Amino acid sequence: MLARAKRSIDYRDLLYNLVVRDLKVRYKHSVLGFFWSLLNPVLLMLVFTFVFQQLLGSENNPTHPMYHVFFLVALLPWNWCASAVTGTLGSIVNSGYLIKKVYFPREMLPVSVVLANMINFLLALPALLLFMVILRPEGSGNPFGSDCQFACFNFHLLWVPLLILTETIFLMGLGFFISALNVFFRDTSVLVEVGLSAWFFLTPIIYDAKDVAHDLANVMYYLNPMAGLVANFREVFYYNDAASPDPFFMLRNLIVCTALLVGGYFFFMRLSRNFGEEI
Amino acid sequence: MARTSKESVRAASSPTLPNGTEKEVATVAGPPNSGRPGQLVQQATARSPQAKAKVVKFSNVSKKFTLHHERPNSFQDMVVSLFGLRSPSRLGKAMPRPANEQFWALKDVNFGIYQGEAVGIIGENGSGKSTTLKLISRILDPTSGSVSVRGKVSALLELGTGFHPELTGRENIFLNGSLLGIPRKEMAQRYEDIVDFAELQEFIDTPIKHYSSGMVMRLGFAVAINVDPDILLTDEVLAVGDEAFQRKCLDYIAALRKRGVTIIFVSHALDAVRGLCQRAIWLDHGKVVADGPAGDVIDQYLVFENEKHADRIRDEYEARKNGIAVPGDIRSSVTIQKPTQEDLEDQGHTVDETSEEAQREELSPEFRFAYDAPGTHWTSGQARITDVKFMNADGVDTKTFLTGEPFTIRIFYSTGERIENPVFGIALYSSQNGVHLNGPNTRFAGLDIPFIEGTGHVDYHIDELPLLAGMYDVTVAMTGADIAETLDHQHRAYNFYVQPTPGMAERWGLINIPAEWSFHPDAAK
């Protein structure tokens, strides 16, 4: 275990290069380059805001104020999750040409995908912060002031690094499982792709976690760490009033995700012995 | 290098690994199925520099592959196999599900490679060579036993595999270096050398996808050897680029060797192994058959291969003689494109092949002869060569000879009519490369044959066979008084083998020319 960790340190430059490769290749041929990672969620945000505020929203059925921020703050971590899951899924299988020819720590492949998507997520965050400032309706207060009711810049934002860490750990753990499974059962990828769209709706992204019936919400949080994460992101960025995020809840989520990572790592290491002949 | 001390030992979880049981001399008597007892017992370690450290050690290494004939690689298949359902064959009948076949690519292999050695691994396809390389490079894990490798391994297996087409040469150099575990800083120091070696200065900031395949290979080679490996693994990839680049690569490998880099070379090109390696390990069916000085092991391997080959040729020959078509034998179903003038002019000649009846059916209007298709046979029908025998000093009919032995080719003829002043000739060819060695005939030699009638034979005798180890083809021909009037011509239809000869100092090329070397230094000032 320690030797492995040391070896991983020897290969840290590989991780760096793989992440850079991922990002470079992604934006190589598009005119807008990395702005797509901003534009994509913004366009989605516009669509959903239109649907919920204009089509569905009415006097009797008020939507959340500043729905675009409400939505975007959940969409960004979700997008990170969805693209990392899709990316890690094929990370081993698509690198068969490397795995059969060169030895290197195979775990670098899914890890690099998660990190590249994390960087994408971080690059999209400024857009969210910008919208929090400029797209405020009349009377919602100064985002930096004490009269601010939601989507405020205050000390709650200090929780953000912890949430990012938790999501990174979660996605790596999941990535270890699915990337290794996909080597042996290629229909893992089909299942995961179908699962992703179900997962989107089972995670409080277009709706509020607070609207979920209390007993069901608990089940949701237990089975779906993304639900807890998305709810926390929303609390930190959107509902950031004094009552918001529960540190114990965040800690619990972190522990669950860490357990998943440890399990995924051992699962992956066990299966990776046979990658060379199974791909 | 600080990294050289890094050692990795991978042992399979099997409990069969008592320390000290591994054999140093990995020589097994005779290859399986050969029926020959191992004649040459090599001492693997005798030549090895004992003072140096073992950098690669295989201890009772076995590697099992499961050949999935019908592998449940989707959940559907798994469910189907769970319920014992069978996939129907084309006839609609249930087919028995083939069991997964297990295949031992390596079985109880032991050897050690010392630092600075250049070792060739030889053997037929499927003998376990590539598996061995992959175990050393850690791409595969052993099923049982342990593989320990000390130092940084760089593999020249399929060059340029780590390259991403969208990235530039420069970016790929760093990516490839990091795949080999080289820190970025170290890579930056080597960057210039790599670019210089690959001769790609102008293209280094162009995406790899615009490179020619030769450029990609050059870059791959340059990275692989410039990362300062402790152990360099290579297979047939040395055939990259143009001749000049190849020479550069070989020179560089020689330089690495001098620097103490261990080189492990897997190849079918036995001459390359002979030239590059001082030691060879011969694998057959996953076992070490011989391990020792490269020249000796290769000779032993050649004897074995020739012997095996000889059996097959002999069987085919017998079958042909008995009129049985050998499946897949090109010689019994000649389809020839190149018409020759001589043949077109010679309308009177009939085609003779293994069985004339079979031949008639195969004959198409386009059927033409080519002089250079081995096995081509044509005859006028007046007289024919019925058999050819190769005989050694004792007059024994054999197919294998040693360099320097007396050698006789006996040509049997049969004719229904009296033929005046016939000429018999032969021609020798190297089977490997088709080089035409000679083409003597009775007329040039001044042997006057007044006439032939009925049957008889003509001998061509060499006192000391000058040919070196290898396989040789023989053309036999008989003409009338006019050499252009072919009576029977069997082009490269017979063959024999020359085995590596103990004590024979020469081993390259085709012939042994008795000669002397002498040394004459100029007087010192």
Side-chain angles (χ1 to χ4, degrees):
Chain A
M1 185 73 196
L2 271 179
R4 266 186 196 154
K6 191 196 166 298
R7 190 193 60 189
S8 299
I9 291 169
D10 284 341
Y11 277 91
R12 65 190 180 279
D13 287 299
L14 172 62
L15 193 59
Y16 170 81
N17 280 326
L18 286 175
V19 170
V20 170
R21 178 190 77 172
D22 226 69
L23 294 172
K24 269 189 183 154
V25 169
R26 184 175 310 181
Y27 300 124
K28 206 108 202 190
H29 287 290
S30 61
V31 181
L32 292 179
F34 113 90
F35 286 101
W36 274 118
S37 54
L38 291 182
L39 223 51
N40 172 324
V42 168
L43 290 176
L44 261 183
M45 176 191 83
L46 292 178
V47 170
F48 276 85
T49 308
F50 174 75
V51 169
F52 281 88
Q53 233 164 28
Q54 309 299 318
L55 297 186
L56 300 178
S58 62
E59 301 265 317
N60 307 333
N61 183 18
T63 47
H64 299 275
M66 286 179 78
Y67 186 82
H68 44 270
V69 172
F70 170 85
F71 178 67
L72 194 61
V73 78
L75 184 70
L76 291 182
W78 168 258
N79 273 356
W80 173 16
C81 167
S83 51
V85 164
T86 327
T88 49
L89 188 62
S91 60
I92 301 295
V93 172
N94 296 340
S95 300
Y97 67 102
L98 279 183
I99 285 179
K100 279 193 285 194
K101 297 295 170 195
V102 197
Y103 172 77
F104 60 93
R106 277 73 168 96
E107 62 270 26
M108 294 296 174
L109 289 170
V111 168
S112 73
V113 172
V114 173
L115 293 184
N117 283 298
M118 179 186 84
I119 288 169
N120 240 344
F121 167 78
L122 293 178
L123 291 177
L125 270 189
L128 174 69
L129 298 177
L130 187 69
F131 291 139
M132 283 164 66
V133 178
I134 61 171
L135 291 180
R136 299 187 80 84
E138 288 291 316
S140 59
N142 177 0
F144 300 98
S146 52
D147 60 336
C148 174
Q149 284 149 23
F150 43 80
C152 313
F153 289 83
N154 59 25
F155 64 91
H156 288 305
L157 289 181
L158 295 177
W159 289 112
V160 171
L162 178 72
L163 295 180
I164 290 174
L165 177 72
T166 311
E167 183 160 350
T168 309
I169 288 173
F170 169 67
L171 292 175
M172 282 181 185
L174 188 67
F176 281 141
F177 274 108
I178 60 176
S179 61
L181 262 183
N182 198 29
V183 173
F184 298 89
F185 302 103
R186 296 296 156 94
D187 24 17
T188 307
S189 57
V190 184
L191 279 180
V192 167
E193 272 153 33
V194 173
L196 263 181
S197 32
W199 195 6
F200 175 80
F201 290 103
L202 292 174
T203 305
I205 299 162
I206 51 175
Y207 54 90
D208 196 339
K210 293 183 164 109
D211 294 342
V212 179
H214 187 71
D215 45 344
L216 278 179
N218 258 339
V219 177
M220 178 176 80
Y221 287 139
Y222 269 111
L223 294 181
N224 178 6
M226 266 320 276
L229 268 168
V230 164
N232 278 333
F233 268 108
R234 189 168 274 153
E235 279 166 358
V236 165
F237 279 99
Y238 182 79
Y239 287 120
N240 43 10
D241 45 37
S244 281
D246 174 3
F248 292 103
F249 181 78
M250 281 192 269
L251 192 65
R252 192 191 80 184
N253 222 4
L254 181 63
I255 290 169
V256 169
C257 293
T258 308
L260 184 81
L261 175 66
V262 171
Y265 181 76
F266 282 106
F267 181 79
F268 185 91
M269 291 319 275
R270 225 199 124 87
L271 264 59
S272 72
R273 303 170 113 236
N274 292 325
F275 284 173
E277 52 202 89
E278 284 292 338
I279 281 180
Chain B
M1 289 258 78
R3 288 166 163 269
T4 46
S5 58
K6 196 173 67 185
E7 180 169 14
S8 63
V9 180
R10 284 163 305 139
S13 44
S14 97
T16 57
L17 232 196
N19 261 341
T21 52
E22 86 251 21
K23 289 168 276 176
E24 286 292 290
V25 182
T27 305
V28 180
N33 314 326
S34 74
R36 295 166 62 94
Q39 298 155 315
L40 260 159
V41 173
Q42 312 287 350
Q43 293 84 34
T45 47
R47 291 172 51 113
S48 307
Q50 288 289 5
K52 293 200 171 170
K54 261 190 208 169
V55 288
V56 175
K57 195 163 112 191
F58 272 47
S59 310
N60 300 314
V61 171
S62 297
K63 178 67 191 173
K64 181 174 73 182
F65 288 109
T66 308
L67 304 176
H68 307 281
H69 290 301
E70 232 177 86
R71 179 166 71 132
N73 57 358
S74 69
F75 291 132
Q76 180 199 349
D77 290 341
M78 217 166 67
V79 171
V80 167
S81 64
L82 207 66
F83 291 102
L85 301 175
R86 311 255 150 99
S87 43
S89 74
R90 274 182 230 110
L91 297 168
K93 286 184 194 157
M95 261 181 5
R97 170 172 284 274
N100 283 343
E101 214 176 282
Q102 293 189 335
F103 163 71
W104 291 91
L106 289 180
K107 192 97 185 136
D108 270 332
V109 168
N110 290 284
F111 62 80
I113 291 174
Y114 291 83
Q115 195 203 324
E117 267 191 309
V119 179
I121 298 180
I122 59 172
E124 297 175 340
N125 286 329
S127 56
K129 303 188 299 287
S130 307
T131 306
T132 306
L133 274 199
K134 287 186 170 176
L135 283 166
I136 296 173
S137 59
R138 310 179 61 187
I139 293 165
L140 296 176
D141 268 356
T143 308
S144 67
S146 81
V147 174
S148 89
V149 176
R150 194 192 292 261
K152 184 161 54 189
V153 178
S154 175
L156 290 180
L157 314 171
E158 233 171 88
L159 294 169
T161 35
F163 292 154
H164 195 291
E166 295 287 349
L167 299 180
T168 66
R170 182 195 305 270
E171 290 163 343
N172 266 306
I173 288 175
F174 285 100
L175 178 60
N176 220 280
S178 60
L179 276 172
L180 298 167
I182 318 281
R184 206 180 160 77
K185 238 193 238 161
E186 236 176 276
M187 215 53 209
Q189 291 162 7
R190 288 158 214 239
Y191 173 75
E192 288 299 323
D193 290 343
I194 293 172
V195 177
D196 283 348
F197 192 93
E199 302 164 14
L200 286 172
Q201 290 85 346
E202 326 158 40
F203 305 104
I204 206 65
D205 287 314
T206 310
I208 289 271
K209 64 178 175 179
H210 299 305
Y211 283 26
S212 72
S213 56
M215 288 158 83
V216 173
M217 290 217 206
R218 260 157 39 205
L219 191 60
F221 189 89
V223 173
I225 58 175
N226 277 302
V227 296
D228 211 354
D230 299 310
I231 301 170
L232 184 71
L233 304 179
T234 101
D235 57 9
E236 317 281 1
V237 295
L238 288 182
V240 289
D242 50 30
E243 192 119 345
F245 190 75
Q246 268 183 43
R247 203 165 314 124
K248 196 163 146 187
C249 295
L250 285 173
D251 285 351
Y252 203 92
I253 289 183
L256 285 181
R257 242 184 86 176
K258 243 176 244 157
R259 242 195 275 156
V261 174
T262 308
I263 291 165
I264 301 171
F265 182 41
V266 163
S267 184
H268 290 289
L270 297 176
D271 280 343
V273 175
R274 230 192 262 269
L276 197 67
C277 307
Q278 79 250 41
R279 179 178 152 199
I281 297 173
W282 168 17
L283 292 177
D284 191 84
H285 292 87
K287 294 197 162 159
V288 177
V289 177
D291 179 350
D296 296 348
V297 174
I298 290 170
D299 286 348
Q300 200 187 345
Y301 172 67
L302 277 174
V303 170
F304 168 74
E305 283 295 292
N306 284 346
E307 198 84 338
K308 230 172 99 172
H309 207 54
D311 287 344
R312 188 176 62 78
I313 299 273
R314 215 174 288 138
D315 290 348
E316 280 176 15
Y317 176 71
E318 291 298 323
R320 211 169 23 239
K321 242 171 57 179
N322 300 330
I324 304 161
V326 180
D329 181 5
I330 43 152
R331 293 181 189 191
S332 61
S333 59
V334 194
T335 48
I336 295 154
Q337 288 96 32
K338 252 199 298 183
T340 64
Q341 321 87 311
E342 224 168 308
D343 178 60
L344 292 170
E345 286 159 14
D346 239 338
Q347 296 299 332
H349 288 183
T350 62
V351 176
D352 185 359
E353 259 299 319
T354 49
S355 128
E356 291 184 0
E357 265 154 52
Q359 196 58 57
R360 241 170 264 133
E361 284 173 13
E362 279 181 38
L363 267 181
S364 63
E366 299 87 40
F367 191 87
R368 293 286 184 270
F369 281 120
Y371 275 74
D372 43 4
T376 312
H377 181 183
W378 62 96
T379 174
S380 69
Q382 291 163 277
R384 47 190 302 177
I385 291 167
T386 52
D387 199 7
V388 173
K389 285 197 161 105
F390 303 105
M391 297 185 304
N392 64 15
D394 308 321
V396 175
D397 173 19
T398 176
K399 284 232 162 198
T400 49
F401 297 87
L402 297 175
T403 307
E405 256 193 323
F407 170 75
T408 302
I409 300 177
R410 178 161 290 176
I411 306 165
F412 293 89
Y413 63 83
S414 162
T415 169
E417 56 196 88
R418 184 186 165 101
I419 292 164
E420 305 279 350
N421 291 318
V423 178
F424 288 84
I426 62 156
L428 292 182
Y429 294 86
S430 157
S431 308
Q432 277 102 332
N433 53 26
V435 169
H436 185 179
L437 295 166
N438 71 347
N441 66 40
T442 50
R443 174 158 302 164
F444 293 168
L447 176 69
D448 186 36
I449 303 172
F451 65 89
I452 51 169
E453 199 169 3
T455 58
H457 66 255
V458 174
D459 281 357
Y460 171 75
H461 178 79
I462 302 174
D463 279 339
E464 288 182 21
L465 185 64
L467 301 177
L468 294 174
M471 181 169 156
Y472 296 90
D473 289 351
V474 179
T475 298
V476 291
M478 170 167 55
T479 69
D482 176 2
I483 288 187
E485 181 202 347
T486 304
L487 296 173
D488 195 356
H489 187 123
Q490 303 179 9
H491 187 71
R492 294 175 68 174
Y494 302 90
N495 39 32
F496 65 92
Y497 310 93
V498 178
Q499 300 200 344
T501 308
M504 174 53 57
E506 282 201 51
R507 52 173 48 133
W508 282 303
L510 297 169
I511 62 168
N512 172 39
I513 301 170
E516 264 172 46
W517 287 92
S518 57
F519 173 59
H520 309 281
D522 286 337
K525 281 180 203 166

